[in-house]
């Protein structure tokens, strides 16, 4: 969400950014004549900002030196072209400076608060953490592909800030295994890609 990216990229963490966006979102949601989809989108944005504000201290991002990332080209992993778009650059500046990257995750699914049973909520939360650990690994691969232009990649500076969990998730203890898993999956995709035949119906115009 653009407002949260701009807020966290600002060293001052000015609350005015979020207040302004919340005001505009509230007005939009109350505007007569907008479509249900537009109203739902405005309410969703307000919900995300509210959750972020409640969980900001737990996310631990306020003290981090976050900046706007450049527009990265897609990278090649074992013959597969992959596009990775972090929300932040951590540190960096080129030369011998350490650099990381971060993604702010606001997506609801799988909703860690949506299950009726405690074990369901725990399972969904762990699934989100597992997804985040692979995103951390992919961000390292992205930084490695820049060949030092932004600084020396440091996996410990890579993270996913899961707004709904209220957690900043870094590299897993088996981070190296996850890097191998990603490369292995891409290698398998590359091998099988030429044998994939799309259904003719996909080319028919509706």
């Amino acid at each position: 969400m653009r407002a949260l990216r701009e807020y966290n990229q600002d060293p001052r963490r000015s609350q005015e950014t979020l207040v302004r966006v919340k005001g505009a979102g509230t007005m939009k949601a109350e505007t007569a004549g907008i479509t249900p989809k537009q109203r739902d989108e405005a309410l969703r944005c307000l919900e995300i900002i509210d959750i972020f504000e409640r969980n900001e201290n737990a996310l631990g991002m306020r003290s981090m030196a976050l900046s706007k990332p450049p527009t990265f080209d897609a990278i090649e992993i074992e013959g597969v072209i992959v596009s990775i778009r972090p929300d932040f650059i951590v540190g960096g500046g080129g030369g011998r400076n350490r650099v990381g990257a971060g993604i702010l995750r606001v997506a609801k699914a799988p909703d860690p608060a949506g299950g009726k049973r405690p074990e369901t909520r725990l399972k969904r939360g762990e699934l989100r953490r597992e997804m985040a650990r692979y995103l951390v690994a992919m961000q390292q691969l992205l930084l490695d592909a820049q060949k030092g232009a932004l600084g020396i990649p440091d996996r410990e500076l890579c993270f996913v800030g899961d707004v709904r969990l209220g957690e900043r998730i870094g590299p897993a203890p088996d981070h190296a295994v996850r890097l191998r898993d990603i490369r292995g999956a891409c290698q398998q995709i590359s091998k099988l890609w030429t044998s994939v035949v799309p259904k003719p119906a996909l080319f028919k115009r509706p």
Side-chain angles (χ1 to χ4, degrees):
M1 184 180 180
R2 183 167 60 186
L4 294 182
R5 288 195 295 268
E6 291 178 354
Y7 170 79
N8 284 285
Q9 289 165 6
D10 181 358
R12 301 170 301 162
R13 302 298 197 274
S14 174
Q15 292 293 325
E16 293 179 5
T17 301
L18 301 183
V19 170
R20 183 178 67 253
V21 174
K22 286 197 295 184
T26 300
M27 290 180 61
K28 182 176 180 179
E30 295 174 350
T31 299
I34 67 169
T35 66
K37 182 178 180 180
Q38 290 173 321
R39 180 173 286 106
D40 288 345
E41 179 65 20
L43 292 174
R44 187 183 72 86
C45 291
L46 291 171
E47 178 203 22
I48 290 170
I49 292 175
D50 181 60
I51 295 172
F52 173 81
E53 289 179 322
R54 292 201 307 267
N55 290 338
E56 184 177 10
N57 289 338
L59 287 166
M61 294 167 53
R62 181 179 283 273
S63 62
M64 300 180 74
L66 305 177
S67 58
K68 183 178 179 179
T71 301
F72 290 104
D73 292 331
I75 64 173
E76 182 177 338
I77 305 176
E78 300 296 334
V80 177
I81 302 301
V82 181
S83 180
I84 305 165
R85 295 283 185 266
D87 294 310
F88 313 108
I89 289 296
V90 186
R96 303 298 297 173
N97 293 315
R98 298 280 174 178
V99 64
I103 290 175
L104 196 61
R105 186 171 184 213
V106 300
K108 191 170 187 177
D111 186 359
K116 293 182 179 179
R117 301 167 62 186
E119 54 266 36
T120 300
R121 293 193 292 271
L122 288 171
K123 184 177 180 180
R124 290 181 178 182
E126 189 50 42
L127 179 58
R128 291 178 73 95
R129 294 181 188 95
E130 186 69 2
M131 294 166 68
R133 293 172 189 128
Y134 275 100
L135 285 172
V136 168
M138 292 186 74
Q139 288 181 100
Q140 182 186 335
L141 291 173
L142 174 67
L143 294 175
D144 287 343
Q146 308 313 307
K147 305 203 181 291
L150 299 174
I152 300 173
D154 186 343
R155 70 183 187 185
E156 297 299 331
L157 294 180
C158 295
F159 72 93
V160 171
D162 192 311
V163 173
R164 294 183 184 276
L165 283 178
E167 296 178 16
R168 189 178 81 226
I169 301 159
D174 60 347
H175 182 76
V177 173
R178 291 161 196 271
L179 292 173
R180 290 200 298 271
D181 287 346
I182 293 170
R183 292 190 177 102
C186 288
Q187 192 175 59
Q188 186 73 358
I189 291 170
S190 182
K191 288 180 180 178
L192 296 175
W193 190 253
T194 55
S195 65
V196 175
V197 179
K199 295 180 179 180
L202 294 175
F203 297 102
K204 292 181 180 179
R205 292 186 177 183

